[in-house]
């Protein structure tokens, strides 16, 4: 089992920056990849950024050049640095992890979410 706890959300002005964090606990060595999703009111949840166990990353087109995902394996923590924030970035941001358990079965894990609000 893996537990994910996000932090760092808040209210910022357009053009500002924010860094949100996700701390994984439990069977963290089973994690293959982690990422950040977001969901705005009336919208479907979308992948914002992902990072694999090998360090490869991918981003949604809407955040490329502005957001950076990184991880600190020693701290079991994944970060999302968000720069040049826009009002359309306003959403609940959810940490996600995909792992393989002791029986080789893939599992999905989700955090509770942290709210990011960008004012115009």
């Amino acid at each position: 089992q893996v537990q994910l706890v996000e932090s760092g959300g808040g209210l910022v002005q357009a053009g500002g920056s924010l860094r949100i964090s996700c701390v994984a606990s439990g069977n963290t060595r089973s994690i293959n990849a982690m990422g950040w999703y977001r969901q705005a009111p009336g919208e479907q949840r979308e992948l914002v950024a992902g990072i694999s166990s090998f360090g490869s990353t991918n981003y949604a087109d809407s955040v490329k050049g502005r957001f950076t995902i990184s991880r600190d394996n020693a701290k079991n923590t994944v970060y999302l640095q968000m720069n040049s924030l826009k009002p359309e970035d306003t959403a609940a941001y959810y940490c996600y992890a995909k792992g393989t358990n002791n029986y080789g079965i893939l599992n999905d894990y989700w955090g509770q979410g942290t709210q990011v609000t960008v004012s115009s």
Side-chain angles (χ1 to χ4, degrees), residues 52-105:
S52 74
S53 59
F54 300 100
S56 61
T57 59
N58 62 87
Y59 299 90
D61 288 340
S62 60
V63 306
K64 285 181 179 178
R66 300 189 297 119
F67 290 11
T68 302
I69 187 171
S70 62
R71 66 189 300 169
D72 185 338
N73 290 332
K75 297 182 181 296
N76 296 316
T77 302
V78 172
Y79 305 93
L80 185 66
Q81 178 67 46
M82 300 178 287
N83 298 326
S84 302
L85 283 162
K86 305 174 181 179
E88 50 263 45
D89 294 319
T90 296
Y93 284 71
Y94 297 89
C95 184
Y96 165 82
K98 188 173 185 177
T100 304
N101 67 15
N102 293 335
Y103 298 97
I105 299 174

